[in-house]
Amino acid sequence: MLHYALVFLVIAIIAALFGFTGIAGTAASIAKILFIVFLILAIIAFFRRAS
């Protein structure tokens, strides 16, 4: 999940450099959502492992 978030972040940065603002914004939004999902799953896994 974190890998895909980083891939979309790189796509967003490259698209922004070339001026594709629509694609860059979409890719950045997807990257943010995937990162948040990753954090939630990591916290759940941590607490399930601790108990």
Side-chain angles (χ1 to χ4, degrees), residues 3 7 12-13 21-24 27-28 30-31 34 36-37 42 47:
H3 172 75
V7 168
I13 291 171
T21 56
I23 296 171
I30 293 171
L34 287 175
I36 291 169
V37 170
F47 283 118

Side-chain angles (χ1 to χ4, degrees), residues 17-45:
L17 288 175
F18 287 117
F20 299 114
T21 56
I23 296 171
T26 303
S29 297
I30 293 171
K32 187 180 1 176
I33 290 168
L34 287 175
F35 185 70
I36 291 169
V37 170
F38 166 76
L39 284 178
I40 291 169
L41 291 176
I43 291 169
I44 291 172

Side-chain angles (χ1 to χ4, degrees), residues 3-5 15 19 22 48-49:
H3 172 75
Y4 291 126
R48 288 194 69 189
R49 182 72 126 157

